[in-house]
Amino acid sequence: MNALQDVDWPALGPPLIAALAAVAVLLADLFLPPARKGLLGGLAVAGLVLAGLSLLPLRGADRATFCLAADPGLCSYRADEFALTVQLIVLGGALLAALLSLPETGPASRHPAAPHPASGKAAAGNGAAGKETPGTGAPKRDASGTGASGGAGEGSLPGGEFWFLLLCSACGATLLPAARDLATLVVALEITTLPAYALVGLRRRGPGPEAALKFFLTSVTATAVGLLGISFVYAGAGSLHLSEIAERLPDADPRLATLAEAGVVLTLAGFAFKTAAVPFHFWVPETYVGAPLPVAGYLSVVGKTAGLAGLVLVTTGAFPGYGGLWGPVLAVLAACTMTAGNAAALRTPAAAPDGVVRLLAWSSIGQAGYLLVPVAAAAYTAPGDALGALLGYALMYAVTNLGAFAVAAHLARRHGARRLADYAGLYARQPGTALALAFFLLCLAGLPPGLAGLFAKVAVLRSAVDAGLGPLAVVTALNVALALAYYLRWTALLFRPAPAGSPAPPRPVPPLAAATALCALAGAAFSVAPQLILGLAPGVLR
Amino acid sequence: MFPLSETTLRLLLIAVLALPLLGSGAALLPAPPGLRGAGGPERDVLRHGVTVTGAVLAAALLLAAGFDHGQPGRVQAETDVGWISALDVRLHLGVDGISLPLLVLTALLTFLCALHAYVRPPGGGDPRAFVALMLLLECGTLASFAVLDLLLFFLAFETVLVPMYFLIARWGGAQGTPAGRAAGEAPDAAGDPADPAADPGDSAEDPADSAGEGTPGRAAGGAAAAAWKFVLYTVLGSVVMLLGLLLLGLDGGTFDMVALAAAHGEGLSHTSQLLAVLAIGLGLAVKAPMWPLHSWLPDAHTAAPTTGSVLLAGVLLKMGTYGLVRIALPAAPEGMRTFAPYLGAFAVAGILYGALACLSLVREGAAGDLKRLIAYSSVGHMGFVLLGIATLTQTGVNGALFANIAHGLVTGLLFFLVGSLRERTGTTDLDRLAGAAGAALYGRSPRFGGLLAFAALASLGLPGLAGFWGELLAMLGAYQPAEGLSRPAYATFLALAALGTLLTAAYLLQVVRRVCMGEAGQQPLPDLHAPEYAAFSPLAALTVLAGLCPALLLDLTGPAVRGLLAGVAG
């Protein structure tokens, strides 16, 4: 027996390159002079692009590595279609989030974001601040504690730490969908979320630290609960490999049956937190508002996708025999999540400060509800079809949601209060940006011309109808109508005549424009050929 | 009429669908140098709208001419290519005797609307956006009549929403009634027809007020609220319909309408037929609209600009009844048979409700709005269509399809006329318009008044005009409903529907009395002018033609309906 394992390095490419890039950024941060810290962003973007490219040679193959020497069928890492698609979403999402962050990090920042209103009192004065020319808006709040950013405005993020944390988190999220044992899964999940706490709290002023603490405490509780569940499951099954658990847990000692079931439920609860499912969703709006906008976008797409992938792996991978147990639970969770998210999003007032972020936060909770529908459906049908719908929806959601965040980040450079009302008349001033945002919102709502969203919703509903989950399908359908109200309200705002005397939108900056254009192009491609995202057919997870 | 090869027909049908879509995108781009006219970019884009809709109409007429009238039951001009294999969605297009008249009607009405917009530029917003939205709307409506795939039908159904929402919200409401004018006396307020009566600054959306408001509906006045109501009702209906379509497609094993219709519900369990018809029926009933799901309609019609009202009444409502005939009737006959009596009951309730609402609106001192009145009369007319479908007989369904077309022609004409009336007098409020004495349009504007009376008579179902045959056939169907349906129940429906025709006649004659008659000697109003003749005469001529030669339409729909009903009769 060979003590040394054969490791399939190319299969490991995506997480490995992300990790190497993280280390490279950290080291470069030490040696680069402050004036050249701008290179760090480029380095991080290059690393993410490279990691994404390393997915290409893996397409179509089903490769596995870190297998047990005694039983080569049991592997801890598997790069199958499911894993590769989620890795694509994660790396693409991280890349877009990185593009959104570029203007906010390092000394390259010439247009610091307008001041962030920390309280209602600050918001009152914000209308005046917003009208001032960029750079003069925040002299008195110019923070000295922004470290490496070298004297940029308080809006800028410390470059080195930021890029390192982002790449670390992306590395964890890339590792997660390929993990095939519970230990690797939990480790990957923690690598994903631990840097995220720091990312949320990276701006030391404003509500960031408090949001980070809230995020941290709830998240750690969920992890602890999940670990407890995993230990129960281990007691029942005697293995951490998903396929072994799937095989052995139902045949476990009958005296352990209750323990096994409790373990299944507790493990699910742990993962449900990461997807921000009800009742673990309360941290989301506060955290998104407190976090820098690109980080909020990152969490809404990458964090959610990673949590969802973990949920799929434990449900269909480890507990397929317990479908009767987790199927109804997830169906109820999905229904509650989408209803809570959409109802709250509907109540977001247009004039409130941070309304945009709050709306996007609640809408992302609503979307998480739709994403849970196929997972619940997988309990009742062949999981392949349901997972295909899930991946298609996740791809559509990633592209359009980050597109919306890109436009929001663009406008937040002038309108620091991030109110929905700031979007009135955008079409008259920047038709391209307005049309792109309208397209993203209609995709999220699932209305033509956002065909990608429409067909992704059809696929999700179809999985529910196919699984015989009639009530869930009806709740989902009603929620689609409910969600339309706020998406269309925002869209309609764009095409209003611009209010007199409102400040002109900021000039586009290349990274943000590139991110918007990338998302718009991808969304348009998915709309013309929905087969691209809906044709994915991940087999049974092993 | 003259033979065209199947390939030509196929290309024509694709052109009919693709032209408005391409034109909609092109409307947003600046005009190329060769196409720039003297009137500036605004005229250019409105002319672009006329050109595109004209080309679509020409293609649709050519398609109708080349259609094999010997076999109207067969799907012709068929295209069937795969699109999204993961969802079994195929680009399956084709026309038969049921969809062809609706296709031509849509092309015609949209062309007339474009013409109307060219003569009377819509106030309230960028004309580029107006034309783009109108063309997108045309694409969606044409597509919903031409597609033969369930999910594509849903897509077409949804495509209509966004353009219609913006047409109502942006160009609706206060259009044509500037504040000073609306407050003044009606006779003094006669607008100069050469001057576009709309004031862009007075559009429903006051930016300063609405930008900061949480609910745009309240801030932007009635138009935005009505637009919201329209969208929310329709979307609620259409997502429920989507569930029904998915159930039908998944249980039936295919999403192809032709295959599902040919199967006549075989392979579908009774339960799934019931659920599918319930869900699909609910969605379509919102659109049709069926009482009591109609309450979005009067507001939307009242708020919409003329173009929006004409297209809403003339075309969009037909999508609901067309869907019932095309999808629910053949694909789930058992479900239809179970729900038909309920559909009939609701249809009759709609007929009576619409007529009674109109009667109360037309009373003196009720401050009834003419557009609102026509909207309620639509509820009644669509009630006849639904009653015809509910009989599940050859006669009834043919009558329903006929009434569909007739309603499109007549109500389209009525909305055009009321729009012109508002341009002339500044109001559509009956009391302000007619007062106690009557508006005396016969005397002040004889041709205009005559045409209005003609349209009202056509609408009440005068024999010899289009409105007559559809309602007669629908009631004839109710006299002898399909086997297995309760005869006494349908006899009751018949009696109530007959009462409805009486009430309809009563309110429409009242309208004629109050608007067209009156004391002589009032200030004359401008009479019909050339562009109005051009817009109104095709509709009036077709109304007469359909009334005198109903066989033209019935020969088209008859054989196709026989094929669809084969499952119900068995």
Side-chain angles (χ1 to χ4, degrees), chain A residues 32-96:
Chain A
L32 276 179
R36 306 188 61 191
K37 296 273 194 214
L39 287 177
L40 294 175
L43 192 61
V45 168
L48 286 169
V49 170
L50 212 60
L53 287 178
S54 72
L55 288 172
L56 278 180
L58 302 176
R59 275 182 321 151
D62 183 359
R63 302 164 76 148
T65 186
F66 295 125
C67 302
L68 287 190
D71 184 358
L74 278 184
C75 303
S76 292
Y77 186 98
R78 188 175 281 277
D80 55 7
E81 184 158 7
F82 174 79
L84 292 178
T85 314
V86 176
Q87 286 176 340
L88 176 68
I89 298 175
V90 164
L91 289 171
L95 177 64
L96 287 168

Coordinates of all heavy atoms in Angstrom, one line a residue, chain A residues 32-96:
Chain A
L32 N 5.2 45.8 -1.1 CA 4.9 46.9 -2.1 C 5.0 48.3 -1.3 O 4.4 48.3 -0.2 CB 3.6 46.7 -2.7 CG 3.5 45.8 -3.9 CD1 2.1 45.7 -4.4 CD2 4.4 46.3 -5.1
P33 N 5.5 49.3 -1.9 CA 5.4 50.6 -1.3 C 4.0 51.1 -1.4 O 3.3 50.7 -2.3 CB 6.4 51.5 -2.2 CG 6.4 50.7 -3.5 CD 6.3 49.3 -3.2
P34 N 3.6 52.0 -0.5 CA 2.2 52.4 -0.4 C 1.7 52.9 -1.8 O 0.5 52.8 -2.1 CB 2.2 53.5 0.7 CG 3.4 53.2 1.5 CD 4.4 52.5 0.6
A35 N 2.6 53.6 -2.5 CA 2.1 54.2 -3.8 C 1.7 53.2 -4.8 O 0.9 53.5 -5.7 CB 3.2 55.1 -4.3
R36 N 2.2 51.9 -4.6 CA 1.9 51.0 -5.7 C 0.9 49.9 -5.2 O 0.8 48.8 -5.8 CB 3.2 50.3 -6.1 CG 4.2 51.4 -6.6 CD 5.4 50.8 -7.2 NE 5.1 50.1 -8.4 CZ 5.9 49.3 -9.1 NH1 7.1 49.1 -8.6 NH2 5.5 48.6 -10.1
K37 N 0.2 50.1 -4.1 CA -0.7 49.1 -3.6 C -1.8 48.8 -4.5 O -2.5 47.8 -4.4 CB -1.3 49.6 -2.3 CG -0.3 49.8 -1.1 CD -0.1 48.6 -0.4 CE 0.6 48.9 0.9 NZ 1.6 47.9 1.4
G38 N -2.0 49.7 -5.5 CA -3.1 49.5 -6.5 C -2.8 48.2 -7.2 O -3.8 47.6 -7.7
L39 N -1.6 47.8 -7.3 CA -1.3 46.5 -8.0 C -2.0 45.3 -7.4 O -2.3 44.3 -8.1 CB 0.2 46.3 -8.1 CG 1.0 47.2 -9.0 CD1 2.5 46.9 -8.8 CD2 0.5 47.0 -10.4
L40 N -2.2 45.4 -6.1 CA -2.8 44.3 -5.4 C -4.1 43.9 -6.0 O -4.4 42.7 -6.1 CB -3.0 44.6 -3.9 CG -1.7 44.9 -3.1 CD1 -2.0 45.3 -1.7 CD2 -0.9 43.6 -3.1
G41 N -5.0 44.9 -6.3 CA -6.3 44.6 -6.8 C -6.1 43.9 -8.1 O -6.8 42.9 -8.4
G42 N -5.2 44.3 -9.0 CA -5.0 43.7 -10.2 C -4.5 42.2 -10.0 O -5.0 41.3 -10.7
L43 N -3.7 42.0 -9.0 CA -3.2 40.7 -8.7 C -4.4 39.8 -8.3 O -4.5 38.6 -8.8 CB -2.2 40.8 -7.6 CG -1.3 39.6 -7.3 CD1 -0.5 39.2 -8.5 CD2 -0.4 39.8 -6.1
A44 N -5.2 40.3 -7.5 CA -6.4 39.5 -7.0 C -7.3 39.1 -8.2 O -7.7 38.0 -8.3 CB -7.1 40.2 -6.0
V45 N -7.6 40.1 -9.0 CA -8.4 39.9 -10.2 C -7.8 38.8 -11.1 O -8.5 37.9 -11.6 CB -8.7 41.2 -10.9 CG1 -9.4 40.9 -12.3 CG2 -9.6 42.1 -10.1
A46 N -6.5 39.0 -11.3 CA -5.8 38.0 -12.2 C -5.9 36.6 -11.6 O -6.1 35.6 -12.3 CB -4.4 38.4 -12.4
G47 N -5.7 36.5 -10.3 CA -5.8 35.2 -9.6 C -7.2 34.6 -9.8 O -7.3 33.4 -10.1
L48 N -8.2 35.4 -9.7 CA -9.5 34.8 -9.8 C -9.8 34.4 -11.3 O -10.4 33.4 -11.5 CB -10.6 35.9 -9.4 CG -10.7 36.1 -7.9 CD1 -11.5 37.3 -7.5 CD2 -11.3 34.8 -7.2
V49 N -9.3 35.3 -12.2 CA -9.5 34.9 -13.6 C -8.8 33.6 -13.9 O -9.3 32.7 -14.6 CB -9.0 36.0 -14.5 CG1 -8.9 35.6 -16.0 CG2 -9.8 37.2 -14.4
L50 N -7.6 33.5 -13.4 CA -6.8 32.2 -13.6 C -7.5 31.0 -13.0 O -7.6 30.0 -13.7 CB -5.4 32.4 -12.9 CG -4.2 31.7 -13.6 CD1 -4.1 32.3 -15.0 CD2 -3.0 32.0 -12.8
A51 N -8.0 31.2 -11.8 CA -8.7 30.1 -11.2 C -9.9 29.7 -12.0 O -10.2 28.5 -12.2 CB -9.2 30.5 -9.8
G52 N -10.6 30.7 -12.6 CA -11.8 30.4 -13.4 C -11.3 29.7 -14.7 O -12.0 28.7 -15.1
L53 N -10.2 30.1 -15.2 CA -9.8 29.4 -16.5 C -9.4 28.0 -16.2 O -9.5 27.1 -17.1 CB -8.6 30.2 -17.1 CG -8.9 31.5 -17.7 CD1 -7.7 32.2 -18.2 CD2 -9.9 31.3 -18.8
S54 N -8.9 27.7 -15.0 CA -8.5 26.4 -14.7 C -9.7 25.4 -14.6 O -9.5 24.2 -14.6 CB -7.8 26.3 -13.3 OG -8.7 26.5 -12.3
L55 N -10.9 26.0 -14.7 CA -12.1 25.1 -14.8 C -12.2 24.5 -16.1 O -12.8 23.4 -16.3 CB -13.4 25.9 -14.5 CG -13.6 26.4 -13.0 CD1 -14.8 27.3 -13.0 CD2 -13.9 25.2 -12.2
L56 N -11.7 25.2 -17.1 CA -11.9 24.8 -18.5 C -11.5 23.4 -18.8 O -12.3 22.6 -19.3 CB -11.2 25.8 -19.5 CG -12.0 27.1 -19.8 CD1 -11.2 28.0 -20.7 CD2 -13.3 26.8 -20.4
P57 N -10.3 23.0 -18.5 CA -9.9 21.6 -18.9 C -10.6 20.6 -18.1 O -10.6 19.4 -18.5 CB -8.4 21.6 -18.5 CG -8.1 22.8 -17.6 CD -9.2 23.8 -17.9
L58 N -11.3 21.0 -17.0 CA -12.0 20.0 -16.2 C -13.4 19.6 -16.7 O -14.0 18.7 -16.2 CB -12.1 20.5 -14.8 CG -10.8 20.8 -14.1 CD1 -11.1 21.4 -12.7 CD2 -9.9 19.5 -14.0
R59 N -13.8 20.4 -17.7 CA -15.2 20.3 -18.2 C -15.5 18.9 -18.7 O -14.6 18.3 -19.3 CB -15.5 21.2 -19.3 CG -15.9 22.6 -18.9 CD -16.2 23.5 -20.1 NE -15.2 23.2 -21.1 CZ -15.5 23.3 -22.4 NH1 -16.6 23.7 -22.8 NH2 -14.5 23.0 -23.3
G60 N -16.7 18.4 -18.4 CA -17.1 17.1 -19.0 C -16.5 15.9 -18.3 O -17.0 14.8 -18.5
A61 N -15.5 16.1 -17.5 CA -14.9 14.9 -16.9 C -15.4 14.9 -15.4 O -16.0 15.8 -14.9 CB -13.3 15.1 -16.8
D62 N -15.3 13.7 -14.9 CA -15.7 13.5 -13.5 C -14.5 13.0 -12.7 O -14.2 11.8 -12.7 CB -16.9 12.5 -13.4 CG -17.4 12.3 -12.0 OD1 -16.8 13.0 -11.1 OD2 -18.3 11.6 -11.8
R63 N -13.7 13.9 -12.2 CA -12.4 13.5 -11.6 C -12.5 13.6 -10.1 O -13.3 14.4 -9.5 CB -11.3 14.5 -12.1 CG -11.2 14.5 -13.6 CD -10.4 15.7 -14.1 NE -9.0 15.5 -13.8 CZ -8.1 16.0 -14.7 NH1 -8.5 16.6 -15.7 NH2 -6.8 15.8 -14.4
A64 N -11.8 12.7 -9.5 CA -11.8 12.7 -8.0 C -10.4 12.5 -7.5 O -9.5 12.0 -8.2 CB -12.7 11.5 -7.5
T65 N -10.2 13.0 -6.3 CA -8.9 12.9 -5.7 C -9.0 12.8 -4.2 O -10.1 13.0 -3.7 CB -7.9 14.0 -6.1 OG1 -6.6 13.7 -5.7 CG2 -8.4 15.4 -5.6
F66 N -7.9 12.6 -3.5 CA -7.9 12.4 -2.0 C -8.8 11.2 -1.7 O -9.8 11.3 -0.9 CB -8.4 13.6 -1.3 CG -7.5 14.8 -1.4 CD1 -7.9 16.0 -1.8 CD2 -6.1 14.6 -1.0 CE1 -7.0 17.1 -1.9 CE2 -5.3 15.7 -1.1 CZ -5.7 16.9 -1.6
C67 N -8.6 10.1 -2.4 CA -9.4 8.9 -2.2 C -8.7 8.0 -1.1 O -7.5 8.1 -0.9 CB -9.5 8.1 -3.5 SG -10.3 9.1 -4.8
L68 N -9.5 7.2 -0.5 CA -9.0 6.3 0.5 C -8.2 5.3 -0.2 O -8.5 4.7 -1.2 CB -10.2 5.6 1.2 CG -10.9 6.4 2.2 CD1 -11.9 5.5 3.0 CD2 -10.0 7.2 3.2
A69 N -7.0 5.0 0.4 CA -6.1 4.0 -0.2 C -6.8 2.6 -0.2 O -6.7 1.9 -1.1 CB -4.8 4.0 0.5
A70 N -7.6 2.4 0.9 CA -8.2 1.1 1.0 C -9.4 1.0 0.0 O -9.7 -0.1 -0.5 CB -8.7 0.9 2.4
D71 N -10.1 2.1 -0.2 CA -11.3 2.0 -1.0 C -11.3 3.2 -2.0 O -11.7 4.3 -1.6 CB -12.5 2.1 -0.1 CG -13.8 2.0 -0.9 OD1 -13.7 1.9 -2.1 OD2 -14.9 2.0 -0.3
P72 N -10.7 3.0 -3.2 CA -10.6 4.1 -4.1 C -11.9 4.7 -4.5 O -11.9 5.8 -5.1 CB -9.9 3.5 -5.3 CG -9.4 2.2 -4.9 CD -10.3 1.7 -3.7
G73 N -13.0 4.1 -4.2 CA -14.3 4.7 -4.6 C -14.7 5.8 -3.6 O -15.5 6.7 -3.9
L74 N -14.0 5.9 -2.5 CA -14.4 6.9 -1.5 C -13.4 8.0 -1.5 O -12.3 7.9 -1.2 CB -14.4 6.3 -0.1 CG -15.6 5.5 0.4 CD1 -15.4 5.1 1.8 CD2 -16.8 6.3 0.2
C75 N -13.9 9.2 -2.1 CA -12.9 10.3 -2.2 C -13.5 11.5 -1.5 O -14.7 11.6 -1.2 CB -12.8 10.6 -3.7 SG -12.3 9.2 -4.7
S76 N -12.6 12.4 -1.1 CA -13.0 13.6 -0.4 C -13.2 14.7 -1.3 O -13.8 15.8 -0.9 CB -11.9 13.9 0.7 OG -11.9 13.0 1.7
Y77 N -12.7 14.6 -2.5 CA -12.8 15.8 -3.4 C -13.2 15.2 -4.8 O -12.6 14.3 -5.3 CB -11.4 16.5 -3.6 CG -11.5 17.8 -4.4 CD1 -11.6 19.0 -3.7 CD2 -11.4 17.7 -5.8 CE1 -11.6 20.2 -4.5 CE2 -11.5 18.9 -6.5 CZ -11.6 20.1 -5.9 OH -11.6 21.3 -6.6
R78 N -14.3 15.8 -5.3 CA -14.8 15.3 -6.6 C -15.1 16.5 -7.5 O -16.0 17.3 -7.1 CB -16.0 14.4 -6.4 CG -16.4 13.7 -7.6 CD -17.5 12.7 -7.3 NE -17.0 11.5 -6.7 CZ -16.6 10.4 -7.4 NH1 -16.6 10.5 -8.7 NH2 -16.2 9.3 -6.8
A79 N -14.6 16.6 -8.7 CA -14.8 17.7 -9.6 C -15.8 17.2 -10.6 O -15.5 17.0 -11.8 CB -13.6 18.2 -10.2
D80 N -17.1 17.1 -10.2 CA -18.1 16.7 -11.2 C -18.8 17.9 -11.7 O -18.5 19.0 -11.4 CB -19.0 15.6 -10.6 CG -19.7 16.1 -9.3 OD1 -19.5 17.3 -9.0 OD2 -20.4 15.3 -8.7
E81 N -19.9 17.7 -12.5 CA -20.6 18.8 -13.1 C -21.1 19.8 -12.1 O -21.1 21.0 -12.2 CB -21.7 18.3 -14.1 CG -22.3 19.5 -14.8 CD -23.0 19.1 -16.1 OE1 -23.1 17.9 -16.3 OE2 -23.4 20.0 -16.8
F82 N -21.7 19.2 -11.0 CA -22.3 20.0 -9.9 C -21.2 20.9 -9.3 O -21.3 22.1 -9.3 CB -22.9 19.1 -8.9 CG -23.3 19.8 -7.6 CD1 -24.5 20.5 -7.7 CD2 -22.6 19.9 -6.5 CE1 -25.0 21.2 -6.6 CE2 -23.0 20.6 -5.4 CZ -24.2 21.2 -5.4
A83 N -20.0 20.3 -9.0 CA -19.0 21.0 -8.3 C -18.4 22.1 -9.3 O -18.2 23.3 -8.9 CB -17.8 20.1 -7.9
L84 N -18.3 21.7 -10.5 CA -17.7 22.7 -11.5 C -18.6 23.9 -11.7 O -18.1 25.0 -11.8 CB -17.4 22.0 -12.8 CG -16.2 21.0 -12.7 CD1 -16.1 20.3 -14.1 CD2 -15.0 21.6 -12.3
T85 N -19.9 23.6 -11.8 CA -20.8 24.7 -12.0 C -20.8 25.7 -10.8 O -20.8 26.9 -11.0 CB -22.2 24.2 -12.3 OG1 -22.2 23.1 -13.2 CG2 -23.1 25.3 -12.8
V86 N -20.9 25.1 -9.6 CA -20.9 25.9 -8.4 C -19.6 26.7 -8.4 O -19.5 27.9 -8.0 CB -21.1 25.1 -7.2 CG1 -21.1 26.0 -5.9 CG2 -22.5 24.5 -7.2
Q87 N -18.5 26.0 -8.7 CA -17.2 26.7 -8.7 C -17.2 27.9 -9.7 O -16.6 29.0 -9.4 CB -16.1 25.8 -9.0 CG -15.8 24.8 -7.9 CD -14.7 23.8 -8.2 OE1 -14.4 23.5 -9.3 NE2 -14.1 23.2 -7.1
L88 N -17.8 27.7 -10.8 CA -17.9 28.8 -11.8 C -18.7 29.9 -11.2 O -18.3 31.1 -11.3 CB -18.6 28.2 -13.1 CG -18.9 29.3 -14.1 CD1 -17.5 29.7 -14.7 CD2 -19.8 28.8 -15.2
I89 N -19.8 29.6 -10.6 CA -20.6 30.7 -10.0 C -19.8 31.4 -8.9 O -19.7 32.7 -8.9 CB -21.9 30.2 -9.3 CG1 -22.8 29.5 -10.4 CG2 -22.7 31.2 -8.6 CD1 -24.0 28.8 -9.8
V90 N -19.1 30.7 -8.1 CA -18.4 31.3 -7.0 C -17.2 32.1 -7.5 O -17.1 33.3 -7.1 CB -17.8 30.1 -6.1 CG1 -16.7 30.7 -5.2 CG2 -18.9 29.5 -5.3
L91 N -16.4 31.6 -8.4 CA -15.3 32.4 -8.9 C -15.8 33.6 -9.7 O -15.2 34.7 -9.6 CB -14.4 31.5 -9.8 CG -13.6 30.4 -8.9 CD1 -12.9 29.4 -9.8 CD2 -12.6 31.1 -8.0
G92 N -16.8 33.4 -10.6 CA -17.4 34.5 -11.3 C -17.9 35.6 -10.4 O -17.7 36.8 -10.5
G93 N -18.6 35.1 -9.3 CA -19.2 36.0 -8.4 C -18.1 36.8 -7.6 O -18.1 38.0 -7.5
A94 N -17.0 36.1 -7.3 CA -15.9 36.7 -6.6 C -15.2 37.7 -7.5 O -14.8 38.8 -7.1 CB -14.9 35.7 -6.1
L95 N -15.1 37.3 -8.8 CA -14.4 38.2 -9.7 C -15.2 39.5 -9.9 O -14.7 40.6 -9.8 CB -14.3 37.5 -11.1 CG -13.7 38.3 -12.2 CD1 -12.3 38.7 -11.9 CD2 -13.8 37.6 -13.5
L96 N -16.5 39.4 -10.0 CA -17.4 40.6 -10.1 C -17.3 41.4 -8.9 O -17.2 42.6 -8.9 CB -18.8 40.2 -10.4 CG -19.0 39.6 -11.9 CD1 -20.4 39.0 -12.0 CD2 -18.9 40.8 -12.9

